[in-house]
Amino acid sequence: MTHPHPINSGNAMKLGIMAFNCSGGSTVTTAPEAWPMTWADNVKLAKLADDAGFEALLPVGRWKGYGGPSNFNNSTFESFTWAAGIAAVTERIAVCATIHAPLAHPVMAAKQAATIDHISGGRFVLNVVCGWFREEFEMFAAEWRDHDRRYEYAAEWLALARKAWTETEPFDFNGEFFTGKAIWSEPKPLQGGGLQIMNAGSSPTGQRFSAENCDMNFVMLRQKDEASDRSQIAGLKTMAVNAGRKSQCWIHGYVVCRGTQAEADAYLHRYVEDFGDDEAVGNMLSIFGMESETLEPAVMDAFRFHFKAGHGGYPLVGTPAKIVDDVVRLRAMGVDGILLSWLDYLGEAQQWVDEVLPLMEAAGLRSPHSP
Ligand SMILES: Cc1cc2nc3c(=O)[nH]c(=O)nc-3n(C[C@H](O)[C@H](O)[C@H](O)COP(=O)(O)O)c2cc1C
């Protein structure tokens, strides 16, 4: 078994890659180099990150696209089967799967997760999400609860899954949402005492759920000013500590790295402004704005750009040196890890490994890694 778990590596800034199980990845654009998403490319990218010593690979749980000319995220590999396959072809990196808690019974999901933990040798992470895309729930005729009620449901869902991972005798469960008799699940995950759990809730209720129940928490930095981003991170970590947990705070970052700042800016402008899919992003933002309680109207315009450029992530745009300066600043703000995405994942991830990673090591953000 991998010990310690990859997300607990000693690196001051951990790295992962996200959303490459989805067509378009994290970039809402019709640019010709947008990620077409094939299994062969998924394997190549996962191995590249594994060899480079990255900590995590995260698939997005998505069931339909957002329309528009790109029909962004229309084609997606289901995340548990994706994780099982990726676990089998990697050796060191954490492999995550994303579960929409209201769309799968926790006893079923607990066993699927334990199975992938065995396939991966103890490198699995479960990303528990509550959902915000109502049309996806309509596909399943699943109940669409009020925002905060979804998190109450997820807390009970996770409590039941955790019992299945740890109880050594059959147990009855009598909750508000779930009941079951003589529940039994073997094998237990290889990670003793349950599994590493991630959640990226960004509303106040979502952040509380994440801090109180999960190991990997996320913030969506509003980027209005550094002080408020810092206090968002500190608040999340304090909530976790008060709940008796040790929290890691991660963000999602989209990357455009070029030899000069002007080249990076021009490339970003091209795929966001010339080729950006305003219709798809408009659909996404109207759903996200209505159903999550994250983005206040004042930041919506800036976030329209960030959603086209990288699904609302934090911009890492410029030369390798400028990007590493940004990462140093993020570390100082309390960020523990970044899930990266690029327009052309394969080519640009390789560039990160060749040009950015050595500078991160020189800056003390990561230890040198030999494949
Ligand atoms: C890194 C990251 C990964 C996420 N993955 C998914 C996902 O796979 N599926 C999904 O429906 N939502 C996903 N979300 C959305 C969050 O789970 C959450 O619903 C959203 O940030 C809104 O916050 P709220 O639920 O607290 O309102 C993700 C968010 C982030 C930042």
Side-chain angles (χ1 to χ4, degrees):
M1 187 186 122
T2 312
H3 192 78
H5 191 284
I7 69 158
N8 292 323
S9 82
N11 286 323
M13 184 61 88
K14 297 164 187 63
L15 291 174
I17 304 183
M18 74 174 278
F20 58 107
N21 68 314
C22 303
S23 59
S26 279
T27 318
V28 192
T29 182
T30 58
E33 58 274 52
W35 184 240
M37 209 281 293
T38 65
W39 179 248
D41 283 351
N42 268 257
V43 170
K44 271 190 218 153
L45 186 62
K47 287 185 167 192
L48 188 158
D50 196 30
D51 289 345
F54 282 30
E55 279 80 5
L57 298 169
L58 175 73
V60 166
R62 190 82 301 135
W63 300 95
K64 61 174 15 180
Y66 295 89
S70 66
N71 204 353
F72 176 65
N73 283 180
N74 170 55
S75 168
T76 58
F77 287 132
E78 186 282 319
S79 86
F80 275 75
T81 39
W82 176 93
I86 293 293
V89 298
T90 50
E91 289 173 21
R92 292 167 291 263
I93 197 164
V95 180
C96 313
T98 297
I99 187 81
H100 281 90
L103 302 184
H105 195 282
V107 175
M108 170 71 93
K111 203 168 192 43
Q112 291 173 315
T115 304
I116 304 170
D117 202 45
H118 280 254
I119 296 171
S120 67
R123 292 180 284 129
F124 186 62
V125 178
L126 185 60
N127 177 24
V128 178
V129 302
C130 295
W132 53 272
F133 192 174
R134 192 181 192 137
E135 284 179 33
E136 291 185 327
F137 279 53
E138 289 168 357
M139 285 172 56
F140 294 82
E143 185 177 344
W144 185 248
R145 297 179 177 84
D146 287 346
H147 181 272
D148 290 3
R149 190 75 174 142
R150 278 176 245 159
Y151 280 98
E152 289 170 19
Y153 179 95
E156 190 176 306
W157 188 102
L158 191 53
L160 174 47
R162 281 200 160 116
K163 267 177 108 60
W165 289 324
T166 50
E167 288 284 336
T168 52
E169 297 293 332
F171 63 94
D172 293 347
F173 194 89
N174 291 303
E176 188 184 352
F177 302 99
F178 299 102
T179 55
K181 278 196 177 154
I183 297 168
W184 176 242
S185 194
E186 276 288 340
K188 301 302 181 205
L190 288 182
Q191 298 168 40
L195 286 168
Q196 295 287 325
I197 304 294
M198 154 181 173
N199 175 268
S202 42
S203 62
T205 306
Q207 284 197 342
R208 192 170 335 107
F209 167 82
S210 186
E212 290 175 356
N213 295 283
C214 306
D215 307 284
M216 266 174 98
N217 315 130
F218 278 72
V219 287
M220 190 179 266
L221 299 176
R222 306 296 196 280
Q223 304 168 43
K224 276 190 304 187
D225 61 88
E226 203 173 299
S228 70
D229 284 342
R230 249 178 217 274
S231 79
Q232 206 194 152
I233 295 167
L236 186 65
K237 290 192 173 188
T238 305
M239 252 192 297
V241 170
N242 291 343
R245 304 190 70 86
K246 193 166 163 288
S247 156
Q248 284 196 21
C249 179
W250 288 57
I251 62 167
H252 167 209
Y254 65 86
V255 182
V256 182
C257 182
R258 293 293 182 274
T260 65
Q261 185 68 43
E263 280 176 83
D265 290 341
Y267 190 74
L268 178 67
H269 183 91
R270 176 180 156 272
Y271 81 72
V272 175
E273 301 294 17
D274 301 345
F275 286 101
D277 185 348
D278 287 302
E279 190 180 336
V281 95
N283 292 339
M284 182 193 288
L285 279 179
S286 69
I287 303 163
F288 192 73
M290 266 184 314
E291 304 294 0
S292 92
E293 292 176 5
T294 300
L295 292 176
E296 46 285 7
V299 297
M300 267 300 189
D301 267 352
F303 269 81
R304 178 174 297 275
F305 185 93
H306 296 313
F307 268 91
K308 277 191 279 180
H311 215 304
Y314 189 88
L316 294 170
V317 179
T319 63
K322 146 70 163 71
I323 287 176
V324 173
D325 285 349
D326 286 345
V327 175
V328 167
R329 200 170 33 79
L330 289 165
R331 177 64 212 137
M333 287 162 66
V335 174
D336 297 295
I338 311 178
L339 292 179
L340 304 169
S341 63
W342 299 265
L343 177 56
D344 165 21
Y345 278 94
L346 270 175
E348 296 183 88
Q350 186 63 55
Q351 181 201 19
W352 182 284
V353 170
D354 295 339
E355 298 175 23
V356 182
L357 213 48
L359 300 185
M360 287 186 73
E361 291 168 5
L365 293 164
R366 299 181 62 82
S367 309
H369 173 78
S370 44

Short mmCIF file of all heavy atoms in Angstrom, two decimals, residues 139-190:
data_model
loop_
_atom_site.label_atom_id
_atom_site.label_comp_id
_atom_site.label_asym_id
_atom_site.label_seq_id
_atom_site.Cartn_x
_atom_site.Cartn_y
_atom_site.Cartn_z
N MET A 139 -32.59 13.63 -15.32
CA MET A 139 -32.30 12.39 -16.06
C MET A 139 -32.57 11.16 -15.20
O MET A 139 -32.91 10.09 -15.70
CB MET A 139 -30.81 12.34 -16.46
CG MET A 139 -30.44 13.26 -17.60
SD MET A 139 -28.63 13.31 -17.84
CE MET A 139 -28.17 11.60 -18.07
N PHE A 140 -32.37 11.31 -13.89
CA PHE A 140 -32.51 10.18 -12.97
C PHE A 140 -33.86 10.23 -12.24
O PHE A 140 -34.12 9.38 -11.39
CB PHE A 140 -31.40 10.22 -11.91
CG PHE A 140 -30.02 10.01 -12.46
CD1 PHE A 140 -29.31 11.05 -13.05
CD2 PHE A 140 -29.40 8.76 -12.40
CE1 PHE A 140 -28.03 10.86 -13.55
CE2 PHE A 140 -28.12 8.56 -12.90
CZ PHE A 140 -27.43 9.61 -13.48
N ALA A 141 -34.66 11.24 -12.53
CA ALA A 141 -35.88 11.52 -11.74
C ALA A 141 -35.54 11.54 -10.25
O ALA A 141 -36.29 11.06 -9.40
CB ALA A 141 -36.98 10.50 -12.02
N ALA A 142 -34.36 12.10 -9.94
CA ALA A 142 -33.92 12.16 -8.53
C ALA A 142 -34.50 13.40 -7.87
O ALA A 142 -34.66 14.44 -8.53
CB ALA A 142 -32.40 12.18 -8.47
N GLU A 143 -34.76 13.30 -6.59
CA GLU A 143 -35.34 14.45 -5.88
C GLU A 143 -34.36 15.62 -5.87
O GLU A 143 -33.17 15.43 -5.60
CB GLU A 143 -35.67 14.02 -4.43
CG GLU A 143 -36.37 15.11 -3.67
CD GLU A 143 -36.76 14.67 -2.25
OE1 GLU A 143 -36.76 13.46 -1.95
OE2 GLU A 143 -37.07 15.58 -1.45
N TRP A 144 -34.84 16.81 -6.19
CA TRP A 144 -34.02 18.02 -6.19
C TRP A 144 -34.31 18.78 -4.90
O TRP A 144 -35.32 19.46 -4.79
CB TRP A 144 -34.33 18.86 -7.42
CG TRP A 144 -33.45 20.07 -7.56
CD1 TRP A 144 -33.83 21.38 -7.44
CD2 TRP A 144 -32.05 20.08 -7.83
NE1 TRP A 144 -32.75 22.20 -7.63
CE2 TRP A 144 -31.64 21.43 -7.86
CE3 TRP A 144 -31.09 19.09 -8.03
CZ2 TRP A 144 -30.31 21.81 -8.10
CZ3 TRP A 144 -29.77 19.46 -8.26
CH2 TRP A 144 -29.40 20.81 -8.30
N ARG A 145 -33.45 18.64 -3.92
CA ARG A 145 -33.69 19.26 -2.62
C ARG A 145 -33.20 20.71 -2.62
O ARG A 145 -32.39 21.10 -3.46
CB ARG A 145 -32.97 18.47 -1.52
CG ARG A 145 -33.49 17.06 -1.39
CD ARG A 145 -32.76 16.26 -0.31
NE ARG A 145 -33.36 14.95 -0.21
CZ ARG A 145 -33.04 13.91 -1.00
NH1 ARG A 145 -32.11 14.03 -1.92
NH2 ARG A 145 -33.65 12.74 -0.86
N ASP A 146 -33.63 21.47 -1.62
CA ASP A 146 -33.10 22.82 -1.45
C ASP A 146 -31.60 22.74 -1.22
O ASP A 146 -31.10 21.72 -0.73
CB ASP A 146 -33.73 23.51 -0.23
CG ASP A 146 -35.17 23.88 -0.53
OD1 ASP A 146 -35.54 23.86 -1.71
OD2 ASP A 146 -35.91 24.15 0.44
N HIS A 147 -30.93 23.85 -1.54
CA HIS A 147 -29.46 23.85 -1.49
C HIS A 147 -28.90 23.27 -0.18
O HIS A 147 -28.12 22.31 -0.19
CB HIS A 147 -28.96 25.29 -1.69
CG HIS A 147 -27.48 25.42 -1.68
ND1 HIS A 147 -26.76 25.62 -0.51
CD2 HIS A 147 -26.57 25.34 -2.66
CE1 HIS A 147 -25.48 25.68 -0.80
NE2 HIS A 147 -25.33 25.52 -2.09
N ASP A 148 -29.32 23.82 0.96
CA ASP A 148 -28.68 23.40 2.20
C ASP A 148 -29.11 21.99 2.61
O ASP A 148 -28.35 21.27 3.25
CB ASP A 148 -29.00 24.40 3.32
CG ASP A 148 -28.29 25.72 3.07
OD1 ASP A 148 -27.61 25.85 2.02
OD2 ASP A 148 -28.39 26.63 3.93
N ARG A 149 -30.31 21.61 2.19
CA ARG A 149 -30.81 20.27 2.48
C ARG A 149 -29.95 19.21 1.77
O ARG A 149 -29.75 18.12 2.26
CB ARG A 149 -32.27 20.19 2.01
CG ARG A 149 -33.02 18.97 2.44
CD ARG A 149 -33.40 19.03 3.90
NE ARG A 149 -34.24 17.89 4.24
CZ ARG A 149 -34.14 17.25 5.41
NH1 ARG A 149 -33.29 17.63 6.33
NH2 ARG A 149 -34.92 16.23 5.65
N ARG A 150 -29.43 19.59 0.59
CA ARG A 150 -28.55 18.66 -0.14
C ARG A 150 -27.34 18.30 0.70
O ARG A 150 -26.84 17.19 0.66
CB ARG A 150 -28.07 19.32 -1.45
CG ARG A 150 -29.06 19.22 -2.58
CD ARG A 150 -28.51 19.99 -3.79
NE ARG A 150 -29.38 21.11 -4.08
CZ ARG A 150 -29.04 22.20 -4.77
NH1 ARG A 150 -27.83 22.32 -5.26
NH2 ARG A 150 -29.91 23.15 -4.99
N TYR A 151 -26.83 19.28 1.45
CA TYR A 151 -25.65 19.01 2.27
C TYR A 151 -26.01 18.17 3.51
O TYR A 151 -25.19 17.39 3.98
CB TYR A 151 -24.93 20.32 2.62
CG TYR A 151 -24.08 20.77 1.45
CD1 TYR A 151 -24.52 21.74 0.54
CD2 TYR A 151 -22.85 20.16 1.20
CE1 TYR A 151 -23.76 22.10 -0.56
CE2 TYR A 151 -22.07 20.52 0.10
CZ TYR A 151 -22.53 21.50 -0.78
OH TYR A 151 -21.76 21.84 -1.87
N GLU A 152 -27.23 18.32 4.04
CA GLU A 152 -27.64 17.45 5.15
C GLU A 152 -27.71 16.01 4.65
O GLU A 152 -27.30 15.07 5.31
CB GLU A 152 -29.02 17.88 5.69
CG GLU A 152 -28.97 19.20 6.43
CD GLU A 152 -30.38 19.73 6.75
OE1 GLU A 152 -31.36 18.95 6.72
OE2 GLU A 152 -30.49 20.95 7.00
N TYR A 153 -28.25 15.87 3.44
CA TYR A 153 -28.34 14.54 2.83
C TYR A 153 -26.93 13.96 2.65
O TYR A 153 -26.67 12.79 2.97
CB TYR A 153 -29.06 14.68 1.49
CG TYR A 153 -29.23 13.40 0.70
CD1 TYR A 153 -30.40 12.65 0.79
CD2 TYR A 153 -28.22 12.96 -0.15
CE1 TYR A 153 -30.55 11.48 0.05
CE2 TYR A 153 -28.36 11.80 -0.89
CZ TYR A 153 -29.53 11.07 -0.79
OH TYR A 153 -29.68 9.91 -1.53
N ALA A 154 -26.02 14.77 2.15
CA ALA A 154 -24.65 14.28 1.89
C ALA A 154 -23.96 13.87 3.18
O ALA A 154 -23.19 12.90 3.21
CB ALA A 154 -23.84 15.34 1.17
N ALA A 155 -24.22 14.58 4.26
CA ALA A 155 -23.58 14.23 5.55
C ALA A 155 -24.04 12.84 5.99
O ALA A 155 -23.22 12.02 6.43
CB ALA A 155 -23.91 15.28 6.60
N GLU A 156 -25.34 12.56 5.84
CA GLU A 156 -25.81 11.22 6.24
C GLU A 156 -25.30 10.15 5.27
O GLU A 156 -24.92 9.05 5.67
CB GLU A 156 -27.34 11.20 6.32
CG GLU A 156 -27.84 9.91 6.95
CD GLU A 156 -29.35 9.89 7.14
OE1 GLU A 156 -29.90 10.83 7.76
OE2 GLU A 156 -29.98 8.93 6.64
N TRP A 157 -25.28 10.50 3.99
CA TRP A 157 -24.76 9.59 2.95
C TRP A 157 -23.33 9.17 3.32
O TRP A 157 -22.98 7.99 3.31
CB TRP A 157 -24.79 10.33 1.62
CG TRP A 157 -24.48 9.53 0.39
CD1 TRP A 157 -25.40 9.05 -0.51
CD2 TRP A 157 -23.18 9.16 -0.11
NE1 TRP A 157 -24.74 8.40 -1.53
CE2 TRP A 157 -23.39 8.44 -1.30
CE3 TRP A 157 -21.90 9.36 0.34
CZ2 TRP A 157 -22.33 7.92 -2.07
CZ3 TRP A 157 -20.84 8.83 -0.40
CH2 TRP A 157 -21.07 8.12 -1.59
N LEU A 158 -22.52 10.16 3.70
CA LEU A 158 -21.12 9.89 4.00
C LEU A 158 -20.98 9.10 5.31
O LEU A 158 -20.13 8.21 5.42
CB LEU A 158 -20.37 11.22 4.08
CG LEU A 158 -18.86 11.18 4.14
CD1 LEU A 158 -18.25 10.35 3.01
CD2 LEU A 158 -18.29 12.60 4.09
N ALA A 159 -21.83 9.41 6.27
CA ALA A 159 -21.78 8.66 7.55
C ALA A 159 -22.05 7.18 7.29
O ALA A 159 -21.38 6.31 7.86
CB ALA A 159 -22.79 9.24 8.53
N LEU A 160 -23.02 6.89 6.42
CA LEU A 160 -23.34 5.49 6.13
C LEU A 160 -22.18 4.84 5.35
O LEU A 160 -21.77 3.71 5.67
CB LEU A 160 -24.67 5.41 5.34
CG LEU A 160 -25.09 4.04 4.83
CD1 LEU A 160 -24.97 2.94 5.88
CD2 LEU A 160 -26.53 4.08 4.30
N ALA A 161 -21.65 5.53 4.36
CA ALA A 161 -20.52 4.96 3.60
C ALA A 161 -19.34 4.69 4.55
O ALA A 161 -18.71 3.64 4.48
CB ALA A 161 -20.10 5.91 2.49
N ARG A 162 -19.09 5.63 5.46
CA ARG A 162 -17.95 5.46 6.39
C ARG A 162 -18.16 4.24 7.29
O ARG A 162 -17.22 3.51 7.59
CB ARG A 162 -17.78 6.71 7.25
CG ARG A 162 -17.06 7.83 6.51
CD ARG A 162 -16.46 8.85 7.47
NE ARG A 162 -15.42 9.61 6.82
CZ ARG A 162 -15.47 10.94 6.59
NH1 ARG A 162 -16.51 11.63 6.97
NH2 ARG A 162 -14.47 11.55 5.99
N LYS A 163 -19.42 4.01 7.70
CA LYS A 163 -19.68 2.82 8.51
C LYS A 163 -19.39 1.56 7.69
O LYS A 163 -18.80 0.61 8.19
CB LYS A 163 -21.15 2.82 8.98
CG LYS A 163 -21.35 3.47 10.35
CD LYS A 163 -22.82 3.51 10.72
CE LYS A 163 -23.22 2.55 11.82
NZ LYS A 163 -22.62 2.65 13.11
N ALA A 164 -19.80 1.58 6.42
CA ALA A 164 -19.56 0.41 5.57
C ALA A 164 -18.05 0.15 5.42
O ALA A 164 -17.63 -0.99 5.29
CB ALA A 164 -20.21 0.62 4.21
N TRP A 165 -17.25 1.23 5.44
CA TRP A 165 -15.79 1.06 5.28
C TRP A 165 -15.11 0.59 6.56
O TRP A 165 -13.98 0.14 6.52
CB TRP A 165 -15.15 2.40 4.86
CG TRP A 165 -15.49 2.80 3.46
CD1 TRP A 165 -15.65 1.98 2.38
CD2 TRP A 165 -15.69 4.14 2.98
NE1 TRP A 165 -15.95 2.73 1.27
CE2 TRP A 165 -15.98 4.05 1.61
CE3 TRP A 165 -15.66 5.40 3.58
CZ2 TRP A 165 -16.24 5.17 0.82
CZ3 TRP A 165 -15.93 6.51 2.81
CH2 TRP A 165 -16.21 6.40 1.43
N THR A 166 -15.79 0.77 7.71
CA THR A 166 -15.07 0.50 8.97
C THR A 166 -15.71 -0.56 9.86
O THR A 166 -15.00 -1.20 10.63
CB THR A 166 -14.96 1.81 9.79
OG1 THR A 166 -16.26 2.40 9.88
CG2 THR A 166 -14.02 2.81 9.13
N GLU A 167 -17.03 -0.76 9.79
CA GLU A 167 -17.68 -1.70 10.72
C GLU A 167 -17.28 -3.13 10.38
O GLU A 167 -17.39 -3.54 9.22
CB GLU A 167 -19.21 -1.57 10.64
CG GLU A 167 -19.76 -0.31 11.25
CD GLU A 167 -19.79 -0.34 12.77
OE1 GLU A 167 -19.82 -1.44 13.36
OE2 GLU A 167 -19.75 0.76 13.37
N THR A 168 -16.88 -3.87 11.39
CA THR A 168 -16.44 -5.24 11.13
C THR A 168 -17.54 -6.26 11.40
O THR A 168 -17.33 -7.46 11.24
CB THR A 168 -15.20 -5.57 11.98
OG1 THR A 168 -15.51 -5.23 13.34
CG2 THR A 168 -14.00 -4.77 11.51
N GLU A 169 -18.70 -5.79 11.83
CA GLU A 169 -19.87 -6.67 11.99
C GLU A 169 -21.01 -6.06 11.18
O GLU A 169 -21.05 -4.84 10.99
CB GLU A 169 -20.31 -6.71 13.47
CG GLU A 169 -19.28 -7.29 14.42
CD GLU A 169 -19.03 -8.77 14.19
OE1 GLU A 169 -19.96 -9.46 13.69
OE2 GLU A 169 -17.91 -9.23 14.46
N PRO A 170 -21.98 -6.90 10.73
CA PRO A 170 -23.15 -6.35 10.04
C PRO A 170 -23.85 -5.33 10.95
O PRO A 170 -23.90 -5.53 12.16
CB PRO A 170 -24.04 -7.57 9.81
CG PRO A 170 -23.11 -8.74 9.86
CD PRO A 170 -22.01 -8.37 10.81
N PHE A 171 -24.33 -4.24 10.35
CA PHE A 171 -24.98 -3.19 11.18
C PHE A 171 -26.28 -2.72 10.54
O PHE A 171 -26.44 -2.76 9.32
CB PHE A 171 -24.03 -2.00 11.39
CG PHE A 171 -23.65 -1.28 10.11
CD1 PHE A 171 -24.37 -0.16 9.66
CD2 PHE A 171 -22.58 -1.72 9.33
CE1 PHE A 171 -24.03 0.50 8.48
CE2 PHE A 171 -22.23 -1.07 8.15
CZ PHE A 171 -22.95 0.03 7.72
N ASP A 172 -27.20 -2.31 11.40
CA ASP A 172 -28.44 -1.68 10.92
C ASP A 172 -28.22 -0.17 10.84
O ASP A 172 -27.43 0.38 11.62
CB ASP A 172 -29.60 -1.95 11.89
CG ASP A 172 -29.98 -3.43 11.92
OD1 ASP A 172 -29.53 -4.18 11.03
OD2 ASP A 172 -30.71 -3.81 12.85
N PHE A 173 -28.89 0.48 9.93
CA PHE A 173 -28.78 1.95 9.82
C PHE A 173 -30.18 2.54 9.78
O PHE A 173 -31.01 2.12 8.97
CB PHE A 173 -28.01 2.34 8.55
CG PHE A 173 -27.56 3.77 8.53
CD1 PHE A 173 -26.33 4.13 9.07
CD2 PHE A 173 -28.37 4.77 7.99
CE1 PHE A 173 -25.90 5.46 9.06
CE2 PHE A 173 -27.95 6.10 7.98
CZ PHE A 173 -26.71 6.44 8.52
N ASN A 174 -30.46 3.45 10.68
CA ASN A 174 -31.78 4.09 10.72
C ASN A 174 -31.60 5.59 10.72
O ASN A 174 -31.57 6.23 11.77
CB ASN A 174 -32.52 3.66 12.01
CG ASN A 174 -32.90 2.20 11.93
OD1 ASN A 174 -33.59 1.78 11.00
ND2 ASN A 174 -32.40 1.42 12.87
N GLY A 175 -31.45 6.17 9.54
CA GLY A 175 -31.24 7.61 9.44
C GLY A 175 -32.51 8.29 8.94
O GLY A 175 -33.56 7.67 8.78
N GLU A 176 -32.35 9.57 8.65
CA GLU A 176 -33.48 10.33 8.11
C GLU A 176 -33.69 10.01 6.64
O GLU A 176 -34.82 9.96 6.15
CB GLU A 176 -33.18 11.82 8.30
CG GLU A 176 -34.34 12.72 7.98
CD GLU A 176 -33.97 14.19 8.08
OE1 GLU A 176 -32.85 14.53 8.55
OE2 GLU A 176 -34.80 15.00 7.65
N PHE A 177 -32.60 9.78 5.91
CA PHE A 177 -32.68 9.55 4.48
C PHE A 177 -32.48 8.08 4.10
O PHE A 177 -32.94 7.63 3.06
CB PHE A 177 -31.62 10.38 3.74
CG PHE A 177 -31.73 11.86 3.99
CD1 PHE A 177 -30.91 12.49 4.93
CD2 PHE A 177 -32.65 12.63 3.29
CE1 PHE A 177 -31.01 13.85 5.16
CE2 PHE A 177 -32.76 14.00 3.51
CZ PHE A 177 -31.93 14.61 4.45
N PHE A 178 -31.73 7.35 4.93
CA PHE A 178 -31.41 5.95 4.60
C PHE A 178 -31.73 5.03 5.77
O PHE A 178 -31.49 5.40 6.93
CB PHE A 178 -29.90 5.81 4.31
CG PHE A 178 -29.44 6.62 3.14
CD1 PHE A 178 -28.78 7.82 3.34
CD2 PHE A 178 -29.68 6.20 1.83
CE1 PHE A 178 -28.36 8.60 2.27
CE2 PHE A 178 -29.27 6.96 0.76
CZ PHE A 178 -28.61 8.16 0.97
N THR A 179 -32.26 3.86 5.43
CA THR A 179 -32.36 2.79 6.41
C THR A 179 -31.83 1.53 5.74
O THR A 179 -31.88 1.40 4.51
CB THR A 179 -33.81 2.54 6.86
OG1 THR A 179 -34.59 2.30 5.69
CG2 THR A 179 -34.39 3.71 7.63
N GLY A 180 -31.33 0.60 6.54
CA GLY A 180 -30.86 -0.67 5.99
C GLY A 180 -30.62 -1.65 7.11
O GLY A 180 -30.34 -1.25 8.25
N LYS A 181 -30.74 -2.93 6.76
CA LYS A 181 -30.58 -3.97 7.79
C LYS A 181 -29.35 -4.79 7.51
O LYS A 181 -29.10 -5.16 6.36
CB LYS A 181 -31.81 -4.90 7.76
CG LYS A 181 -32.98 -4.35 8.51
CD LYS A 181 -34.00 -5.44 8.80
CE LYS A 181 -35.11 -4.82 9.62
NZ LYS A 181 -36.35 -5.49 9.46
N ALA A 182 -28.64 -5.12 8.58
CA ALA A 182 -27.47 -6.01 8.52
C ALA A 182 -26.57 -5.64 7.33
O ALA A 182 -26.23 -6.47 6.49
CB ALA A 182 -27.92 -7.47 8.43
N ILE A 183 -26.20 -4.38 7.30
CA ILE A 183 -25.38 -3.88 6.18
C ILE A 183 -23.95 -4.40 6.34
O ILE A 183 -23.38 -4.41 7.44
CB ILE A 183 -25.39 -2.32 6.17
CG1 ILE A 183 -26.83 -1.84 5.93
CG2 ILE A 183 -24.44 -1.79 5.10
CD1 ILE A 183 -27.03 -0.36 6.17
N TRP A 184 -23.38 -4.80 5.23
CA TRP A 184 -22.10 -5.50 5.27
C TRP A 184 -21.29 -5.11 4.04
O TRP A 184 -21.83 -5.06 2.93
CB TRP A 184 -22.40 -7.01 5.27
CG TRP A 184 -21.17 -7.86 5.21
CD1 TRP A 184 -20.82 -8.73 4.22
CD2 TRP A 184 -20.13 -7.92 6.19
NE1 TRP A 184 -19.64 -9.31 4.52
CE2 TRP A 184 -19.19 -8.83 5.73
CE3 TRP A 184 -19.91 -7.26 7.41
CZ2 TRP A 184 -18.03 -9.13 6.43
CZ3 TRP A 184 -18.76 -7.55 8.12
CH2 TRP A 184 -17.84 -8.48 7.62
N SER A 185 -20.03 -4.82 4.21
CA SER A 185 -19.20 -4.48 3.05
C SER A 185 -17.77 -4.97 3.27
O SER A 185 -17.09 -4.54 4.21
CB SER A 185 -19.23 -2.96 2.83
OG SER A 185 -18.71 -2.65 1.56
N GLU A 186 -17.33 -5.84 2.46
CA GLU A 186 -15.95 -6.35 2.46
C GLU A 186 -15.51 -6.46 1.00
O GLU A 186 -16.34 -6.81 0.16
CB GLU A 186 -15.87 -7.74 3.11
CG GLU A 186 -15.75 -7.73 4.62
CD GLU A 186 -14.40 -7.25 5.14
OE1 GLU A 186 -13.41 -7.28 4.36
OE2 GLU A 186 -14.34 -6.82 6.30
N PRO A 187 -14.26 -6.22 0.65
CA PRO A 187 -13.19 -5.88 1.58
C PRO A 187 -13.28 -4.43 2.03
O PRO A 187 -13.89 -3.60 1.36
CB PRO A 187 -11.93 -6.07 0.72
CG PRO A 187 -12.39 -5.73 -0.67
CD PRO A 187 -13.81 -6.24 -0.75
N LYS A 188 -12.64 -4.16 3.17
CA LYS A 188 -12.50 -2.77 3.62
C LYS A 188 -11.47 -2.08 2.71
O LYS A 188 -10.62 -2.76 2.12
CB LYS A 188 -12.00 -2.72 5.07
CG LYS A 188 -12.90 -3.45 6.06
CD LYS A 188 -14.31 -2.90 6.07
CE LYS A 188 -15.20 -3.62 7.07
NZ LYS A 188 -16.64 -3.53 6.69
N PRO A 189 -11.52 -0.75 2.61
CA PRO A 189 -10.47 -0.06 1.85
C PRO A 189 -9.10 -0.38 2.45
O PRO A 189 -9.01 -0.66 3.64
CB PRO A 189 -10.80 1.43 2.06
CG PRO A 189 -12.22 1.48 2.48
CD PRO A 189 -12.51 0.19 3.18
N LEU A 190 -8.07 -0.32 1.62
CA LEU A 190 -6.72 -0.55 2.14
C LEU A 190 -6.31 0.57 3.10
O LEU A 190 -5.58 0.34 4.05
CB LEU A 190 -5.71 -0.60 0.98
CG LEU A 190 -5.76 -1.85 0.10
CD1 LEU A 190 -4.67 -1.75 -0.96
CD2 LEU A 190 -5.60 -3.12 0.91
#
